[in-house]
Amino acid sequence: MPKENKKRGRREEKKRKRDDHDVYERASPKRQKSEEEVGDDVEIVLDVDPSINYQESVHAPLPEETPFYGLLDEEEQTYFKRADTLLELNQFADDEERNLFLANVYREAGGKELKVVCSQSCSRLMERLIRLSTAEQLKSLFQKFTGHFLHLVQHRFASHCCEALFLQAAPIVTQELIAPLADSKEPTNDGGISASMEDLFLLVVKELEGNLGYLMTDTFASHTLRVLLVVLSGQPLKSIAIRTLLQSKKKEKIDVTGRKIESKAEGMAYRTVPESFKAALDEMILGTIAGLDTTYLQALATHPTGNPVLQLLIELEFSRSGKSKAREENSLFRRLLPDDPPADDTQSASFVKGLLYDPVGSRLLETIVQFAPGKVFKTLYKSLFRDNIGNLVRNDIAGFVVSRILERLSHDDLQYAVGLICQHVTLLIERQRTSVIKTMIERCQVRDIDTQAIADTITTAYGGNGASMLVNMVRLSRDDTQAMAPERKSQVEAQDAGKLHGSLLAQAMVLATGPLRDTICDSITTMDTSTLLLMAKDRTATHVLQVALTCEGQTKAFRRKVIQQFYGHVPELALDAIASHVVDIFWTGTEDLLFVREHIAEDLLQNEATLRESYSGRAVWRNWMMDLYKRRRVEWISKAKGTLDAEVAHANPKPRNVTVVKSGIVLARERFAATRAGQAAKGRPAIGTGANGVLPSGRLGGISAKV
């Protein structure tokens, strides 16, 4: 029998032991480690106020080995892949047929749920099933996953199913608060016990308790942990800020057509959650930061995976606990920034200055600036940002933090900051970093601050007055992109970020009254017709033209002068997929210019055949009610006038208890009408005084009655 081929010697023995130890370390899941370890338990001493009743120590046992739930056989994989394809196509006759199909899929997946969610190819099916499931089906899945959530949230594929399960089950908690379950111990169809969704969520929190520290930095579990925190807090699930915080841009969007879509108002509204959720959330936050000192938290602030969790925890602490929590010694914010106030020579000030220029850490600083109580923000602003805000805008990363700071400044502080930032506006425009300028303009409009200096600086930076200023701002060009295919042209324009930022800046200037709007409007009125046509057909620049024609308080003379330059080119614009929206805007822009509406409608009528052959042309024809204009023109005109009268009456309602001063001609007409009414009441015919007057019978004034 051949012997094992191995080397002898003490060095080879040490090397073999070292390799075995490395393999064990790599196989072990991540966990929190402290400086002192005794046996299998780790004791972490909390640096908190001893007067508060916390646990004296936190024991973090070694994580168990990740279990293996088995693999689906070839026949099962084929069935589930086929079911996934059918759900994605959604070619069912009605909802009843689809519900029957879902019930069959659930029956086939019975006992194999853990295998399905851990499968690379079949986990998508489970996500679609979750989005189409009823409340009872979601509860059944919850019960099947209970006891395995700690491992599922760390799994590459199962973690996405857990996120979908939490998001779909969150509204059911609110529904059960309104209509509580009659008997939570009633058996279900599959033989289980029907529990409330509130209890199921609390079981998940209980299962994850004690492991939250290392889940914060886990690649997959951190996303699920954020979703769970949002569900427990009752925050909106569909808001943009929450959506970007919960998932990355690379997340695959798995959805199914035909499912019930909740309204936008429902998704943006705060949800009512039970009191037990609030207590569980407090325990989760306390358990997450338990044993984490200032050094570890500050290192976590620049961690790509841990930073979003830290952002959410800071936001929840500020929004739920009020102003007093930020000043408590055991709060997360005070652990992160222990110095109060953070002077220049303190460690907290050095940490904040480092976050300003860090691509990851700056997002945490934005959250602190946005949600910090007023006194805390003023302290940070005066200590670290006030005198240095002009230099901060020059940095590409710190500029985002400056935008958040400008949103919270008072009138005097904002006026001082505008003076410092205006010195660097030209440099920002050269670098195409106009988002800070846009925010500054919007805040000046809110705080009623004079913007003449900003308008002069922007005009000089873009090449002076005239049409060239706006052309340079939105980067209009007659290059080869005009001959490209629409798909390729949109790809090229999407890569030009400076073009988009210039358009957004121009729109912000138009919406702001005063010198900024006058600068853009003067540039538009000085353009020739060819440039205006090019601007209307440009995917990005067309929004500036649309906003300029429909913004509140825009003058009648400007709208008439701009729209009249498009005479003879309206059908051409209506056939373009982008410029057709400008033609639709012409209807709103001519609300008090009926003769301009009629002129545009006549141009469209003369090109009816061409417009009906185009999709965008048919849309313009419908929006301008051209069928009514063609067949019943008088009714079309009355509708145009009625729209004008309704809009004017709605915008300028008649005030109450106000004496209206009548002109002389109105008073004369009222006296004449009263005289006619009095004569008619006495039974005497009225004697006309004009050429069309009717003489009384028998008094022909010497004119013979015979012919």
Side-chain angles (χ1 to χ4, degrees):
M1 182 176 179
K3 295 182 179 181
E4 181 183 0
N5 185 14
K6 63 180 182 179
K7 296 181 180 180
R8 294 180 295 175
R10 291 175 297 177
R11 294 183 179 178
E12 292 299 329
E13 184 69 19
K14 292 181 180 180
K15 181 179 179 181
R16 185 164 53 253
K17 290 182 179 180
R18 185 170 62 250
D19 293 341
D20 294 341
H21 179 72
D22 293 342
V23 170
Y24 171 77
E25 288 294 327
R26 288 194 298 268
S28 299
K30 290 183 292 184
R31 64 185 180 93
Q32 266 184 287
K33 294 183 179 180
S34 63
E35 296 180 358
E36 299 179 357
E37 296 186 3
V38 180
D40 294 337
D41 293 340
V42 179
E43 182 175 357
I44 303 175
V45 181
L46 303 181
D47 183 17
V48 296
D49 188 355
S51 61
I52 302 178
N53 185 17
Y54 293 123
Q55 295 179 349
E56 296 181 358
S57 62
V58 177
H59 297 279
L62 284 171
E64 300 177 358
E65 186 179 354
T66 303
F68 178 66
Y69 300 109
L71 298 175
L72 298 171
D73 57 33
E74 185 176 355
E75 183 179 355
E76 291 171 342
Q77 287 188 7
T78 303
Y79 173 80
F80 288 128
K81 287 181 181 179
R82 176 62 178 169
D84 185 32
T85 304
L86 293 176
L87 283 178
E88 185 177 7
L89 295 176
N90 192 37
Q91 296 178 348
F92 303 101
D94 51 15
D95 292 342
E96 183 179 357
E97 181 179 348
R98 185 178 59 189
N99 294 335
L100 181 62
F101 176 77
L102 291 176
N104 293 332
V105 174
Y106 267 110
R107 188 180 303 109
E108 183 67 26
K112 310 183 189 74
E113 292 87 357
L114 297 177
K115 294 181 181 180
V116 173
V117 296
C118 295
S119 172
Q120 179 179 3
S121 57
C122 300
S123 60
R124 296 180 179 86
L125 169 65
M126 184 57 70
E127 285 196 59
R128 288 193 172 91
L129 285 176
I130 290 172
R131 285 175 167 81
L132 292 169
S133 298
T134 62
E136 294 300 327
Q137 292 170 339
L138 291 177
K139 291 180 181 180
S140 177
L141 277 180
F142 250 111
Q143 294 177 351
K144 297 293 179 60
F145 292 167
T146 299
H148 305 279
F149 274 110
L150 179 59
H151 305 294
L152 294 179
V153 297
Q154 300 177 72
H155 195 275
R156 179 179 182 181
F157 308 116
S159 60
H160 297 283
C161 297
C162 293
E163 292 179 34
L165 182 61
F166 293 161
L167 291 174
Q168 290 298 121
I172 301 177
V173 178
T174 305
Q175 296 174 7
E176 291 181 349
L177 284 178
I178 301 174
L181 296 177
D183 186 7
S184 60
K185 302 301 181 181
E186 182 181 353
T188 58
N189 297 331
D190 56 357
I193 300 299
S194 177
S196 65
M197 196 63 74
E198 175 187 352
D199 296 336
L200 295 175
F201 269 111
L202 294 178
L203 287 177
V204 177
V205 176
K206 188 68 175 178
E207 184 176 347
L208 300 181
E209 187 178 2
N211 303 281
L212 300 173
Y214 73 88
L215 292 181
M216 290 177 62
T217 56
D218 186 84
T219 305
F220 307 111
S222 63
H223 296 273
T224 312
L225 182 60
R226 285 175 247 165
V227 173
L228 185 58
L229 288 172
V230 171
V231 171
L232 294 177
S233 65
Q235 288 190 323
L237 301 176
K238 300 295 184 180
S239 65
I240 298 177
I242 293 298
R243 190 166 61 248
T244 55
L245 192 62
L246 296 183
Q247 61 191 26
S248 64
K249 297 180 180 179
K250 298 180 181 180
K251 180 177 174 60
E252 182 181 0
K253 296 181 179 179
I254 297 178
D255 205 347
V256 60
T257 56
R259 70 185 182 97
K260 182 180 178 181
I261 305 297
E262 63 179 356
S263 63
K264 185 176 180 181
E266 293 177 354
M268 298 294 292
Y270 281 85
R271 294 171 292 104
T272 304
V273 294
E275 293 296 330
S276 59
F277 274 21
K278 300 178 182 179
L281 181 60
D282 293 335
E283 293 180 2
M284 283 191 66
I285 295 177
L286 182 61
T288 303
I289 65 175
L292 304 183
D293 56 2
T294 300
T295 303
Y296 187 87
L297 285 175
Q298 292 181 354
L300 197 64
T302 57
H303 193 280
T305 307
N307 178 274
V309 182
L310 202 57
Q311 289 183 54
L312 186 57
L313 292 176
I314 286 287
E315 179 181 348
L316 293 177
E317 183 176 86
F318 284 150
S319 59
R320 296 177 65 253
S321 303
K323 303 178 181 179
S324 60
K325 185 66 175 178
R327 297 189 176 276
E328 294 181 3
E329 293 296 331
N330 65 323
S331 65
L332 175 60
F333 174 75
R334 190 50 60 199
R335 290 191 186 186
L336 196 62
L337 300 177
D339 301 304
D340 187 20
D344 290 337
D345 55 346
T346 60
Q347 192 268 343
S348 298
S350 302
F351 170 67
V352 171
K353 292 177 182 178
L355 292 182
L356 280 170
Y357 305 102
D358 188 86
V360 178
S362 60
R363 297 181 179 273
L364 176 62
L365 197 55
E366 288 184 53
T367 304
I368 294 175
V369 170
Q370 183 179 4
F371 295 100
K375 292 184 178 180
V376 176
F377 169 74
K378 290 180 181 178
T379 302
L380 291 174
Y381 174 70
K382 293 180 180 179
S383 303
L384 303 174
F385 304 127
R386 186 176 188 275
D387 297 328
N388 199 32
I389 197 169
N391 296 325
L392 293 178
V393 296
R394 300 168 57 184
N395 186 270
D396 295 345
I397 299 174
F400 294 100
V401 182
V402 173
S403 298
R404 293 293 187 185
I405 293 174
L406 293 176
E407 293 176 355
R408 298 202 59 180
L409 293 183
S410 61
H411 180 277
D412 296 337
D413 290 335
L414 181 60
Q415 195 166 14
Y416 178 77
V418 167
L420 297 178
I421 296 175
C422 281
Q423 303 174 10
H424 306 282
V425 167
T426 304
L427 179 62
L428 293 175
I429 292 175
E430 292 177 357
R431 295 181 178 179
Q432 304 173 12
R433 311 300 299 181
T434 58
S435 59
V436 178
I437 306 175
K438 175 178 173 293
T439 305
M440 181 175 61
I441 291 174
E442 294 172 350
R443 298 309 302 172
C444 287
Q445 181 70 14
V446 173
R447 298 298 185 186
D448 194 17
I449 295 177
D450 184 26
T451 57
Q452 184 63 52
I454 303 176
D456 296 340
T457 308
I458 293 176
T459 303
T460 304
Y462 280 111
N465 296 317
S468 60
M469 193 273 291
L470 186 56
V471 171
N472 295 333
M473 183 179 293
V474 298
R475 295 190 175 188
L476 284 178
S477 61
R478 295 180 174 87
D479 52 8
D480 298 336
T481 57
Q482 300 299 324
M484 290 183 180
E487 295 80 5
R488 176 57 182 166
K489 184 178 179 181
S490 60
Q491 293 177 359
V492 173
E493 292 179 352
Q495 296 176 356
D496 191 358
K499 186 182 183 70
L500 175 61
H501 286 291
S503 175
L504 294 175
L505 176 60
Q507 295 176 49
M509 295 174 65
V510 171
L511 293 175
T513 58
L516 292 170
R517 176 183 292 185
D518 297 340
T519 301
I520 299 297
C521 293
D522 292 344
S523 182
I524 293 177
T525 54
T526 54
M527 290 182 179
D528 54 7
T529 304
S530 60
T531 306
L532 283 175
L533 291 174
L534 182 63
M535 186 176 180
K537 296 179 181 179
D538 188 87
R539 184 181 303 274
T540 307
T542 184
H543 296 284
V544 180
L545 186 60
Q546 296 177 29
V547 173
L549 292 173
T550 58
C551 63
E552 184 180 0
Q554 185 59 271
T555 61
K556 181 178 179 180
F558 170 80
R559 289 184 279 111
R560 182 180 66 249
K561 185 175 182 179
V562 173
I563 294 176
Q564 285 179 343
Q565 293 193 55
F566 290 98
Y567 280 175
H569 302 279
V570 173
E572 175 188 352
L573 297 178
L575 297 176
D576 188 85
I578 299 173
S580 60
H581 297 284
V582 179
V583 182
D584 294 336
I585 290 297
F586 285 168
W587 177 269
T588 307
T590 56
E591 58 183 4
D592 51 354
L593 299 170
L594 182 59
F595 69 97
V596 178
R597 279 184 177 177
E598 291 179 334
H599 193 286
I600 295 176
E602 194 64 31
D603 287 347
L604 295 174
L605 183 62
Q606 294 176 3
N607 296 268
E608 177 182 1
T610 307
L611 292 176
R612 290 187 180 276
E613 295 176 357
S614 170
Y615 175 80
S616 58
R618 291 193 296 271
V620 172
W621 184 273
R622 180 178 61 254
N623 294 335
W624 273 77
M625 301 179 293
M626 291 305 300
D627 288 329
L628 185 64
Y629 180 82
K630 179 181 178 181
R631 295 177 174 84
R632 299 189 297 274
R633 186 166 302 185
V634 176
E635 185 176 349
W636 183 90
I637 294 175
S638 65
K639 277 184 173 293
K641 290 181 178 180
T643 303
L644 170 63
D645 296 338
E647 291 175 354
V648 171
H650 179 72
N652 301 309
K654 184 177 180 181
R656 300 179 179 180
N657 301 327
V658 177
T659 303
V660 180
V661 180
K662 300 179 181 179
S663 60
I665 187 64
V666 174
L667 294 174
R669 289 172 179 170
E670 291 180 353
R671 288 195 298 269
F672 179 73
T675 303
R676 295 286 296 269
Q679 293 177 353
K682 295 179 180 179
R684 294 179 299 180
I687 301 176
T689 57
N692 296 326
V694 180
L695 295 177
S697 58
R699 298 179 60 184
L700 299 181
I703 301 178
S704 175
K706 297 181 180 180
V707 179

